[in-house]
Amino acid sequence: MTKYFTISFLFFSIISCGYPDIDNVPDFKDTKLTDEELLEYCSISNTNKKDIDKCIIDYKS
């Protein structure tokens, strides 16, 4: 039983080394949102209509 556990642990450890590091995540500051995505983003973070409109205006400027 421990033999299978050890082999499984080694196998998954080797496979997990292939995933990119968190330092390789791109910077999303220059990403442009579509109108639909922007409305969804602002609606999630704000519930008031005025706040949603302000969020959209702030993003576009």
Side-chain angles (χ1 to χ4, degrees), residues 20-35:
D21 191 18
I22 192 145
D23 296 333
N24 297 336
V25 176
D27 185 14
F28 293 106
K29 291 181 181 178
D30 296 332
T31 303
K32 300 294 180 192
L33 298 176
T34 64
D35 289 338

Side-chain angles (χ1 to χ4, degrees), residues 39 42-43 46-57:
L39 181 61
C42 290
S43 296
N46 299 302
T47 55
N48 191 354
K49 174 78 169 126
K50 288 182 182 179
D51 293 337
I52 293 172
D53 292 339
K54 183 178 182 303
C55 175
I56 292 172
I57 292 169

Side-chain angles (χ1 to χ4, degrees), residues 1-3 6 10 13 21-23 29 31 36 43 45:
M1 181 69 179
T2 57
K3 178 180 175 183
T6 305
L10 290 174
S13 295
D21 191 18
I22 192 145
D23 296 333
K29 291 181 181 178
T31 303
E36 289 178 9
S43 296
S45 58

